[in-house]
Amino acid sequence: DIQMTQSPSSLSASVGDGVTITCRASQSISNYLSWYQQKSGKAPKLLIYAAASLQSGVPSRFSGSGSGTDFTLTISSLQPEDFAIYYCQQSYSTPRTFGQGTKVEIK
Amino acid sequence: QVQLQESGPGLVKPSETLSLTCTVSGDSISSYYWSWIRQPAGKGLEWIGRIYTSGSTNNNPSLKSRVTMSVDTSKNQFSLKLSSVTAADTAVYYCAREGSGSYYRAFDYWGQGTLVTVSS
């Protein structure tokens, strides 16, 4: 199985701050990497696919980069609605695997 | 707009079989992979397995041979059965679609999730 490791596990930030979350795969996954946002009691929502492509309807303050084993999700200017848990996920091979999540909290 | 809706019992007894169905609306179920994903309370996401509309499946080895999936294209539905459940199978269960082509197999549509509790 491909292990996905996110860092940090949690972070505190203020509205307007820039935030970066990293995700590392245990082997190369090319750009078969997605990012999801999950709010309490809701299903995950696709933000970024193919490592860097913005899902339709997602604000442009979200961006993704990386290829191979190292990936990042950047939120350029945190908004109140961005406080949530973020997951990375590989779709290079089965079983599909997710990172453990990064909780973004209000400072 | 594609919508997915999970349905099934919210309470299952230990050692019995959990059965869930996902109904897809807004698009044909054909020519996509459809997955089941679960999330225990306060924990992360675990992929259970997927089924193609031809009926071919891939399961997570962590669940051994407890998983059975099926698809009914006439009803635009797919289903999950998880046998010999224990309390460790208590979770919110989601169904999701793997996007095709340029989506690089991301999960682009999700159901709202359904809580299944394993308890006597």
Side-chain angles (χ1 to χ4, degrees):
Chain A
D1 299 5
I2 298 175
Q3 307 304 315
M4 306 300 292
T5 304
Q6 286 180 236
S7 61
S9 296
S10 65
L11 64 90
S12 295
S14 300
V15 172
D17 285 352
V19 165
T20 297
I21 299 169
T22 66
C23 178
R24 176 165 287 175
S26 60
Q27 66 184 73
S28 177
I29 59 171
S30 184
N31 59 341
Y32 285 85
L33 190 282
S34 306
W35 290 96
Y36 302 86
Q37 177 194 65
Q38 187 178 34
K39 297 183 179 179
S40 182
K42 300 293 188 182
K45 170 188 173 184
L46 178 64
L47 299 176
I48 301 285
Y49 61 93
S53 295
L54 192 67
Q55 172 68 329
S56 176
V58 174
S60 59
R61 62 181 179 272
F62 291 92
S63 64
S65 65
S67 184
T69 60
D70 294 312
F71 302 87
T72 61
L73 172 70
T74 299
I75 310 172
S76 60
S77 176
L78 269 174
Q79 297 303 299
E81 60 269 30
D82 299 338
F83 293 94
I85 299 176
Y86 293 85
Y87 294 94
C88 63
Q89 177 251 327
Q90 66 81 18
S91 52
Y92 184 79
S93 66
T94 61
R96 303 296 192 233
T97 47
F98 293 85
Q100 79 279 17
T102 295
K103 186 173 185 178
V104 177
E105 298 177 297
I106 301 173
K107 182 183 284 185
Chain B
Q1 176 76 341
V2 178
Q3 293 186 312
L4 287 74
Q5 178 68 58
E6 303 91 350
S7 59
L11 180 64
V12 182
K13 290 182 168 55
S15 80
E16 295 191 345
T17 297
L18 177 161
S19 296
L20 295 173
T21 295
C22 183
T23 301
V24 180
S25 58
D27 195 5
S28 170
I29 198 173
S30 297
S31 304
Y32 287 101
Y33 279 99
W34 302 91
S35 282
W36 290 96
I37 297 159
R38 69 180 183 179
Q39 185 173 37
K43 296 190 178 180
L45 298 160
E46 179 184 30
W47 182 78
I48 297 169
R50 68 176 185 173
I51 186 165
Y52 192 64
T53 47
S54 64
S56 73
T57 60
N58 301 101
N59 296 340
N60 194 326
S62 68
L63 294 168
K64 304 284 194 293
S65 55
R66 296 197 293 135
V67 173
T68 303
M69 289 178 288
S70 60
V71 63
D72 187 337
T73 54
S74 68
K75 294 182 179 179
N76 242 33
Q77 293 178 335
F78 61 104
S79 298
L80 169 71
K81 292 186 186 298
L82 181 65
S83 63
S84 305
V85 297
T86 69
D89 296 309
T90 294
V92 174
Y93 285 74
Y94 296 101
C95 55
R97 189 182 85 169
E98 275 196 7
S100 60
S102 62
Y103 271 91
Y104 279 54
R105 306 191 286 248
F107 296 118
D108 57 354
Y109 290 98
W110 294 66
Q112 65 185 27
T114 188
L115 174 63
V116 179
T117 301
V118 178
S119 175
S120 56

